[in-house]
Amino acid sequence: MTVVFLLILVSLVVALGFLAAFLWAVRSGQYDDDYTPSVRILFDEKQTEND
Amino acid sequence: MAQVEKFHYDNAIVRNFAYATMIWGLVGMLVGLIIALQLIFPQLNLGIAEVSYGRLRPLHTNAVIFAFVGNGIFTGVYYSLQRLLKARMFSKVLSNFHFWGWQAIIVAAALTLPLGLTSLHEYAELEWPIDLAIALVWIGFGINMFGTILKRRENHLYVAIWFYIATWVTVTVLHVGNNLELPVSAFKSYPVFAGVQDALIQWWYGHNAVAFFLTTPYLGLMYYFLPKAANRPVYSYKLSIIHFWALIFIYIWAGPHHLLYTSLPDWAQSLGTVFSVMLIAPSWGGMLNGLLTLRGAWDRVRQDPILKFMVVAVTAYGMSTFEGPMLSLKSVNAISHFTDWTIGHVHIGALGWNGFLTFGMLYWLIPRLFSTKLYSEKLANTHFWIGTLGIMFYAIPLYWAGWTQSLMWKEFTPDGFLKYGNFLETVTQILPMYAMRVVGGTYIWPEISLWYTIWSRRSAPARSLATKQPKRLHWLARMACTKANTGTAGWKEGLFKCFYLRP
Ligand code: HEM
Ligand code: HEM
């Protein structure tokens, strides 16, 4: 069942990658404001032209 | 003096993907309907290998997953990403490469699968040249997305974007992992692993394809389009962030629940079960977050077909993510595995969650993309109800069929022999359920209505020329009414007003 360990390894690498992303997000202040982003997405700037 | 910066979003690419979603949705589901019919009337195989059940089934799954849902994802991503980041897509060339490349891959799939060219991995049947093309196009999409993220004018990455990123990263890894194969000719290759090892790779892929193609991108779409359609912020943004990170860290480990009772080591099977059960928490957190977004707006849900589509979609997500963990328990899987219960589970997710969210999104998006109003709210409502009935007619008979099969397979005579030793006996027993599933094929209807919405956009000014408002009447009167309404607007318009809307 060598493949089990291969899969665990690959999955772990992916998981660690996401962990790094999570730490980056927290440290860089992405989550300092956990309310207004949800409101801001509701405002779209007026469209002047279609292309 | 500082100048106000001006830029435009690329709406053309969104429109293209929206068209593609609708075309392939129609094709994929028609093929679904055909194979559903073939299960009752085997004559429909016509004795031609290319259109027989075994060839068309993978065509159905590939078409609905990668063509319908795939293009649906890209439609939503290209629309929302630009607005969330306040930036135009990174590269127009890459956008077009992505669009045309993806459609070419779909056409290649539609040609090779009926010809029987397959690498035999479920949901990854395509042969190696197409696999390479997929990798290339997918990477193009990735560069385009990350490029846009890098040049964004908005510092905060909204939760939907995280879902898109996770989708991209994981699908890349899965696609490469499951398609490690040795080509022996232009259209034949063999996987590098064999036996149970190959099976484990396959279901690590298969499960995560469900997780990262049918679920996470659609959660991203839900977190963008549901608040937009309801015009209110998501119930709890904090919860959405927790939803994302919890889901990501748990999902990857649940794959072995597809291999219960196989020769896979017991500990790996149990691991799959444990993580599957844990998945209920973030999944239901997400579902509740979606539904509670509509608190205090239920009066609008009653009116607005778009919100109705979305409510059913989110509810179906909740149902299949509760059912899934139950199916992962060995005692339940002993009943469900190999039966139509699995097919029922699949289509609650596919038709309810993916399909209805796509329809809700498109009904919301199309008027905006074409700067117009929805052609007919009533039409959209009708289709919502027909679609919902379609889901019920699909799922309920199959649950019934699943239990029937399972009970019959496990029934013994007093002497200890199998009571229904002949497999065919269980098949003929569930034919009525298969017939009802075909009725569920009415689900395709919303697709046709979407087409009407677009098509009628062209005749929008003519619409106001419709003369009389017809009354509820005999069909002869409706014919007359059709005639009266057939003017510059054309006969379609008259037929539609007088027969379809039934005023
Ligand atoms: C009108 C709509 C549809 C009809 C009539 C339909 C019909 C079918 C049929 C007859 C099968 C084969 C079942 C069997 O082997 O016993 C099937 C399988 C499948 N369909 Fe559909 N389908 C429809 C829509 C969809 C959509 C929209 C999706 C995905 C977004 C989807 C995803 C799948 C998948 C993943 C399978 C394989 C299930 C498995 O192997 O366990 N279907 N469908
Ligand atoms: C927490 C969430 C979920 C869990 C734990 C889960 C678990 C399962 C289990 C145990 C099976 C049966 C495996 C077998 O007996 O062979 C299964 C099959 C399947 N599920 Fe789910 N499920 C979940 C959510 C979903 C969702 C949301 C969708 C679709 C949008 C989906 C699509 C499928 C498909 C396509 C199959 C059939 C795979 C095949 O071809 O055999 N699942 N799932």
Side-chain angles (χ1 to χ4, degrees):
Chain A
M1 285 312 294
T2 44
V3 76
V4 174
F5 302 105
L6 183 73
L7 288 183
I8 292 182
L9 195 73
V10 173
S11 301
L12 267 180
V13 170
V14 174
L16 286 176
F18 279 113
L19 186 63
F22 176 69
L23 292 177
W24 169 81
V26 172
R27 295 227 174 112
S28 67
Q30 283 282 330
Y31 297 139
D32 288 356
D33 177 356
D34 57 19
Y35 175 65
T36 52
S38 65
V39 180
R40 274 189 289 131
I41 70 152
L42 298 178
F43 302 107
D44 273 334
E45 44 293 290
K46 270 242 157 35
Q47 194 172 324
T48 47
E49 193 187 315
N50 252 331
D51 79 329
Chain B
M1 223 184 94
Q3 243 190 336
V4 179
E5 195 187 6
K6 264 198 187 148
F7 65 96
H8 298 290
Y9 296 133
D10 183 359
N11 282 340
I13 190 73
V14 184
R15 227 173 290 157
N16 287 348
F17 275 122
Y19 277 130
T21 310
M22 294 191 294
I23 295 177
W24 297 124
L26 197 57
V27 173
M29 291 187 220
L30 274 177
V31 178
L33 194 56
I34 293 172
I35 58 173
L37 279 163
Q38 285 178 335
L39 284 174
I40 318 172
F41 306 108
Q43 313 85 288
L44 289 176
N45 285 315
L46 304 175
I48 306 171
E50 281 74 15
V51 294
S52 61
Y53 183 82
R55 303 266 178 106
L56 289 187
R57 191 187 193 274
L59 184 63
H60 165 62
T61 55
N62 277 276
V64 284
I65 297 177
F66 298 109
F68 170 59
V69 172
N71 279 305
I73 296 170
F74 304 139
T75 307
V77 169
Y78 276 85
Y79 182 87
S80 62
L81 195 68
Q82 300 187 75
R83 280 150 183 91
L84 288 173
L85 297 174
K86 307 250 173 289
R88 197 183 163 87
M89 286 310 294
F90 171 67
S91 156
K92 178 97 193 158
V93 175
L94 279 178
S95 299
N96 284 328
F97 171 69
H98 179 192
F99 177 76
W100 290 108
W102 197 256
Q103 311 315 319
I105 288 164
I106 294 168
V107 172
L111 292 176
T112 55
L113 290 174
L115 289 176
L117 301 169
T118 159
S119 62
L120 301 173
H121 274 181
E122 199 179 9
Y123 313 130
E125 288 92 348
L126 303 174
E127 266 299 352
W128 68 272
I130 310 180
D131 286 340
L132 283 180
I134 294 174
L136 210 66
V137 171
W138 192 254
I139 287 171
F141 168 46
I143 297 175
N144 208 4
M145 180 165 74
F146 286 109
T148 315
I149 291 176
L150 286 179
K151 67 165 206 181
R152 67 189 191 271
R153 294 185 179 79
E154 156 74 52
N155 179 43
H156 181 78
L157 294 175
Y158 184 67
V159 65
I161 299 173
W162 284 104
F163 277 107
Y164 304 155
I165 295 176
T167 301
W168 189 83
V169 172
T170 327
V171 170
T172 310
V173 177
L174 294 168
H175 178 69
V176 173
N178 193 37
N179 289 300
L180 291 175
E181 52 211 358
L182 300 171
V184 290
S185 72
F187 283 106
K188 187 67 215 150
S189 65
Y190 290 98
V192 295
F193 295 100
V196 69
Q197 313 233 11
D198 184 49
L200 183 59
I201 291 256
Q202 157 60 24
W203 284 110
W204 171 73
Y205 165 87
H207 166 74
N208 285 306
V210 169
F212 290 96
F213 211 88
L214 296 179
T215 307
T216 53
Y218 268 64
L219 286 171
L221 300 185
M222 174 189 92
Y223 277 121
Y224 182 78
F225 288 100
L226 181 65
K228 288 298 263 190
N231 198 25
R232 48 182 60 217
V234 66
Y235 172 66
S236 162
Y237 190 59
K238 214 185 265 181
L239 180 57
S240 74
I241 296 169
I242 297 171
H243 178 195
F244 172 75
W245 291 105
L247 206 65
I248 294 308
F249 287 117
I250 299 176
Y251 242 138
I252 300 200
W253 310 99
H257 65 218
H258 291 271
L259 296 171
L260 301 177
Y261 296 108
T262 63
S263 50
L264 187 73
D266 254 356
W267 64 265
Q269 297 186 24
S270 305
L271 182 87
T273 301
V274 169
F275 276 91
S276 302
V277 172
M278 278 161 53
L279 270 175
I280 296 182
S283 302
W284 274 56
M287 172 192 71
L288 292 174
N289 210 0
L291 290 180
L292 287 174
T293 301
L294 297 167
R295 78 202 179 286
W298 288 98
D299 52 314
R300 278 185 50 213
V301 177
R302 227 169 291 138
Q303 311 279 331
D304 185 352
I306 297 171
L307 289 180
K308 271 188 236 176
F309 272 116
M310 292 185 172
V311 166
V312 171
V314 176
T315 310
Y317 172 66
M319 280 161 54
S320 47
T321 54
F322 178 73
E323 186 183 30
M326 294 305 119
L327 294 176
S328 309
L329 302 174
K330 279 187 111 171
S331 47
V332 179
N333 199 261
I335 303 170
S336 75
H337 194 78
F338 294 130
T339 75
D340 278 307
W341 187 349
T342 309
I343 308 295
H345 164 68
V346 170
H347 287 85
I348 288 281
L351 303 177
W353 166 237
N354 296 120
F356 266 32
L357 198 65
T358 312
F359 298 143
M361 176 183 85
L362 287 177
Y363 273 120
W364 185 84
L365 209 52
I366 285 168
R368 282 172 179 74
L369 288 176
F370 294 108
S371 314
T372 169
K373 280 211 154 54
L374 196 59
Y375 172 69
S376 155
E377 198 128 304
K378 204 166 171 180
L379 189 56
N381 260 320
T382 316
H383 297 135
F384 166 77
W385 287 111
I386 295 178
T388 308
L389 276 179
I391 300 177
M392 306 230 229
F393 267 98
Y394 197 117
I396 297 171
L398 284 196
Y399 288 133
W400 197 299
W403 278 84
T404 307
Q405 285 170 310
S406 187
L407 292 176
M408 286 175 79
W409 289 338
K410 292 181 180 67
E411 191 150 338
F412 290 91
T413 61
D415 318 324
F417 290 104
L418 280 178
K419 183 151 180 214
Y420 303 100
N422 189 343
F423 185 76
L424 197 60
E425 287 175 90
T426 58
V427 177
T428 48
Q429 187 69 29
I430 59 174
L431 281 182
M433 285 72 129
Y434 279 174
M436 276 190 258
R437 185 238 311 262
V438 170
V439 178
T442 44
Y443 180 88
I444 297 181
W445 197 242
E447 274 281 303
I448 297 165
S449 106
L450 271 167
W451 274 109
Y452 199 87
T453 312
I454 296 244
W455 182 30
S456 51
R457 180 179 64 88
R458 305 230 170 82
S459 55
R463 207 159 45 235
S464 54
L465 294 179
T467 39
K468 275 173 248 157
Q469 272 298 324
K471 291 269 156 322
R472 181 174 290 282
L473 266 180
H474 192 260
W475 67 273
L476 276 174
R478 289 188 192 278
M479 295 283 276
C481 149
T482 308
K483 216 164 161 199
N485 277 291
T486 304
T488 37
W491 58 270
K492 307 172 301 229
E493 199 69 27
L495 264 188
F496 176 73
K497 275 198 114 89
C498 303
F499 279 84
Y500 193 86
L501 289 184
R502 304 189 153 262

